[in-house]
Amino acid sequence: MPTDITGKVFKRIDGYKEDVVEMQRALTAIPALSPDSGGKGEWEKALRMKTYMDALGCFSAEEFNAPCPSLKEGTRPNHIYRLKGEDSSRTVWIMSHYDIVPEGDLKLWSSNPFELKVDGDFLYGRGVEDNQQGMISSFLAAKAIIEEGLRPKYDLALLFISDEETGSRDGIQYILKKKSNLFSKNDLVYVPDSGVDDGSRIEVAEKSIMWVKFTVKGKQAHASRPNFGVNAFKAASNLIVRLQTLYEIFGAENPIFEPPTSTFEPTKKEANVPNVNSIPGEDVFYFDCRVLPCYKLEDVISEIRKIADGIEKDFDAKVVMDYAQKEQAAPETDPESDVVKLCADAVKEVYSVEPRACGIGGGTVAAYIRKAGIPAVVWSKLNDTAHQANENCRISNVIGDAKVFAHIALSSI
C-alpha cells in the first residue's frame, strides 16, 4: 500500500480521540447484559451503534436477530454492516460483540462501572475493553477510509454480535445456522477480543476445553468410626491425585501454545459436611481440561473414566461425571495464511513490533468460524482487564487498533 495513503488515513484516525471518549461514554452507560445474566439484552447498545453507522452512510446492513421471547424486543441483535470494496471476491470481516459481563463486586471498583471514568490515556468502565475497544476501533477504521474518499481493497464487513459472553447460541452460532454460506473460504476474519499489551501475539489456534464435574458418593459416618462409612472426601482427594497422570498420558507439546502442553487442573470445590466430626458421604469438585488439538476429547474422557473406575474399586465409592462445558478444538488457522500475513504486516507498521502466531487455552468465537472452514485470527492490543473490577483500556490502543484495521482493509495480498 502506498505510504501516502496510509499516512493520510492514519493522520485522520489520530484526530478521532474525542470520538473514542464520546463513544465509550455512550456505550458504557448501556449495560448490555445477557438475559442469562439477569440483563435486558443488547438492543439498546445495538441501536446506539446503528446511529453511528447510519451517520457514515455507504454501508449496506443485514440483520440476523435470534429469537428470545424473554426479552421485550423478542430477539437478540446480530448486525452486519458492509462497505463495498474494489474487489468483492473476498470480504474482510471484523467481528466484535455487543454484550458484556456483570460488574461483579462494586466494592472492588474505584468508580461507577457504568459511568465512563477518564484518567489521561486510560478509560475505565465495564465493557470498555471487552468488547467496546474492538467495536469502536473497527468503526473508526471504516470511518477514516470513508472520510478520505477511499474504498477498501476487498469488501469490508463489520459484524456486531450478541451472546458472546454466555455461549454464543444467540450470536455467531445462530448466524452460521441461519446462513451457512455467509462466509467464504476466501474471506479474512478478524476478532479483536484477545491480545497482549504490546500487540505482538496473533492468536491462530485454541485448545479443546472441557470442564468436568465429579460427584463422588460414599457413605456418611461419625469420624470416630470410619469403618462404618465410605469417606467420599478421601476418595475424591485420591481421584484428584491420580488424575495428574493425564499429563503423562497426553504429553504431546505444541510450541505455538503457552503453555505448550495440555493442562488438567482441579479447580472449584463444593462444601461437603458442615461439621468436623462427620465423614462426608458426598464430595464434589470440578476439573478444568485444556487439551491440545491433536487429541480427541472422547479419548481423554475414556482415560478419566478408567481412573474413576479404579477409585470406585479401591474405595467402594461411586464416581459420577458431568460436563459443564465440552468443546473440541477447531482446526488452527495456518500461520502462513493471508489473514495472518495481513494482520502481521499491519501490526508491524503501526506498533513497530514483530508479531508472532500463537495459540491460547480456548474460548473465543473465532473457533466457530474456524470450524466452518474459514481462516480467522484473534488480535488486539489490550490491557487484559476483561471481566475484572476497574476494567480499562487505553485511548491510544483504540486509535492504534483502528490504524491496524484500516491498514488491513486497504491492503491486498
Side-chain angles (χ1 to χ4, degrees), residues 146-157:
I146 291 169
E147 290 183 347
E148 282 297 319
L150 302 171
R151 292 175 65 188
K153 290 296 181 183
Y154 309 110
D155 286 2
L156 174 63

Side-chain angles (χ1 to χ4, degrees), residues 344-371:
D345 288 346
V347 171
K348 187 174 181 179
E349 173 73 19
V350 174
Y351 287 119
S352 300
V353 297
E354 195 69 50
R356 65 180 182 87
C358 71
I360 63 172
T364 78
V365 291
Y368 299 109
I369 302 297
R370 294 183 185 125
K371 284 184 177 181

Side-chain angles (χ1 to χ4, degrees), residues 121 133 351 381-383 394-402:
D121 190 38
Q133 179 170 327
Y351 287 119
K381 186 173 185 287
L382 298 176
N383 294 345
R394 290 178 178 266
I395 298 172
S396 55
N397 283 350
V398 182
I399 293 294
D401 286 9

Side-chain angles (χ1 to χ4, degrees), residues 200-249:
S200 64
R201 297 183 64 177
I202 301 173
E203 186 260 286
V204 299
E206 298 180 14
K207 296 177 183 178
S208 299
I209 180 171
M210 182 168 67
W211 295 345
V212 188
K213 176 185 178 182
F214 288 97
T215 303
V216 181
K217 299 181 179 182
K219 181 181 178 183
Q220 187 167 326
H222 196 286
S224 67
R225 308 290 295 277
N227 52 308
F228 287 161
V230 175
N231 193 324
F233 187 16
K234 186 186 292 185
S237 299
N238 275 266
L239 175 57
I240 289 171
V241 172
R242 295 186 193 184
L243 286 170
Q244 294 308 290
T245 60
L246 295 170
Y247 276 102
E248 299 173 7
I249 298 169

Side-chain angles (χ1 to χ4, degrees), residues 153-154 342 408 410-413:
K153 290 296 181 183
Y154 309 110
L342 279 175
I408 290 170
L410 293 168
S411 299
S412 58
I413 198 166

